[in-house]
């Protein structure tokens, strides 16, 4: 469903969303996570640049994961790379609750979460030059041609993301839908602020830091090949 387009509507509300918010039912444990853990792991969206060093209590390279789903990969990454801080953005409540419970179980210190639209977080909460790395793994491919315009990886979006990256910052994309992989490659190869780490037009081998998740295993069983793309901020 498209957003209102009258002249009084803010620009961000006119933007075609890359997601449909289907909350689903949260388990009692996931709801308790919001009640008891949000103040520890969550960041409330305010629409102004956020002081992440204050939230984490230190200055460290910041890794952003957009659309972390149930948080399996983000929880693993934060545990195995404790020299860096991790910022997750996800709109679906059950996955956010699940991740908070997983983080609390091991007393994680290096993860904070937004439950909000990632584009708005990038536009308003993340200052230029802030990010060391951004990860967008298995975003909704919007299979039908008439829905392709809803895909997150578009020229305007990757230009916005580049503006938030530190010099030589890494963007890691992954998808199990070949038409979307080709779309990603086309968009990224044409983006002046990014260079392909492997060389023009090249896909990457799966890096060790991207674990195989339940979602990916399901796709592989269906015969979906997975493509990784690695780009550096110019």
């Amino acid at each position: 469903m498209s957003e209102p387009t009258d002249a009084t509507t803010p620009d961000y509300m006119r933007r075609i969303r890359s997601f449909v918010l289907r909350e689903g039912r949260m388990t009692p444990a996931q709801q308790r996570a919001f009640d008891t853990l949000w103040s520890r792991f969550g960041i409330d969206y305010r629409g102004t640049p956020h002081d992440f060093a204050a939230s984490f209590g230190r200055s460290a390279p910041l890794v952003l994961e957009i659309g972390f789903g149930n948080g399996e990969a983000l929880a693993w990454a934060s545990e195995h790379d404790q020299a860096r801080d991790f910022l997750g953005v996800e709109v679906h409540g059950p996955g956010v609750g699940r991740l908070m419970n997983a983080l609390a179980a091991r007393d994680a210190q290096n993860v904070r979460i937004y439950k909000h639209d990632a584009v708005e977080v990038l536009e308003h909460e993340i200052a230029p030059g802030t990010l060391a790395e951004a990860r967008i793994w298995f975003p909704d491919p919007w299979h039908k041609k008439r829905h392709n315009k809803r895909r997150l990886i578009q020229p305007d979006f990757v230009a916005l993301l580049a503006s938030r990256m530190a010099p030589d910052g890494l963007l890691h994309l992954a998808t199990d839908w070949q038409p979307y992989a080709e779309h990603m490659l086309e968009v990224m190869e044409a983006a002046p602020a990014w260079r392909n780490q492997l060389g023009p037009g090249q896909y990457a081998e799966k890096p060790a830091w991207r674990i195989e998740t339940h979602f990916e295993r399901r796709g592989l069983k269906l015969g979906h090949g997975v493509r990784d793309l690695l780009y550096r901020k110019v």
Side-chain angles (χ1 to χ4, degrees):
M1 183 165 56
S2 57
E3 288 72 23
T5 57
D6 63 89
T8 62
T9 304
D11 287 345
Y12 76 85
M13 290 186 67
R14 295 183 203 149
R15 175 172 52 81
I16 295 171
R17 300 284 178 172
S18 62
F19 61 88
V20 173
L21 187 56
R22 301 185 184 94
E23 280 287 8
R25 178 177 293 179
M26 285 197 285
T27 66
Q30 290 164 352
Q31 184 57 59
R32 282 196 300 274
F34 276 94
D35 296 339
T36 63
L37 298 174
W38 182 256
S39 61
R40 178 176 171 185
F41 295 113
I43 298 177
D44 293 318
Y45 176 84
R46 301 188 186 282
T48 56
H50 189 80
D51 185 348
F52 294 104
S55 290
F56 288 103
R58 66 175 184 174
S59 293
L62 184 63
V63 179
L64 170 68
E65 183 175 345
I66 293 174
F68 58 73
N70 67 15
E72 181 183 358
L74 181 54
W76 186 92
S78 69
E79 183 175 7
H80 291 82
D81 188 0
Q82 296 192 29
R84 299 199 292 175
D85 291 329
F86 290 82
L87 182 65
V89 181
E90 176 58 67
V91 295
H92 297 285
V96 175
R98 185 182 187 280
L99 175 59
M100 287 193 291
N101 282 325
L103 297 173
R106 64 174 182 82
D107 194 26
Q109 303 295 318
N110 63 337
V111 182
R112 297 294 182 272
I113 301 166
Y114 280 99
K115 185 182 180 294
H116 198 80
D117 176 12
V119 175
E120 291 176 19
V121 171
L122 282 166
E123 287 175 336
H124 303 298
E125 297 262 334
I126 298 176
T130 296
L131 301 173
E133 183 177 339
R135 299 172 174 180
I136 307 173
W137 296 344
F138 307 102
D140 193 329
W142 292 102
H143 308 87
K144 296 179 181 178
K145 187 173 182 179
R146 70 178 184 272
H147 291 155
N148 287 177
K149 61 188 177 182
R150 292 184 175 273
R151 289 173 172 171
L152 181 61
I153 306 304
Q154 303 288 359
D156 287 349
F157 174 76
V158 299
L160 170 63
L161 188 54
S163 73
R164 273 41 182 175
M165 302 295 295
D168 204 42
L170 177 67
L171 172 58
H172 181 184
L173 307 175
T175 181
D176 67 339
W177 186 250
Q178 183 62 29
Y180 198 9
E182 293 167 3
H183 171 85
M184 288 177 170
L185 192 65
E186 180 181 358
V187 169
M188 293 304 302
E189 290 296 304
W194 297 99
R195 63 173 175 83
N196 191 316
Q197 181 169 293
L198 278 296
Q202 298 298 306
Y203 294 108
E205 295 294 325
K206 176 181 171 296
W209 63 79
R210 185 176 68 73
I211 64 167
E212 186 179 280
T213 63
H214 171 75
F215 176 88
E216 182 177 355
R217 287 190 292 273
R218 184 177 63 186
L220 291 171
K221 286 181 180 178
L222 293 172
H224 298 177
V226 176
R227 294 288 197 177
D228 288 82
L229 300 93
L230 301 177
Y231 283 82
R232 291 284 179 181
K233 165 71 181 296
V234 174

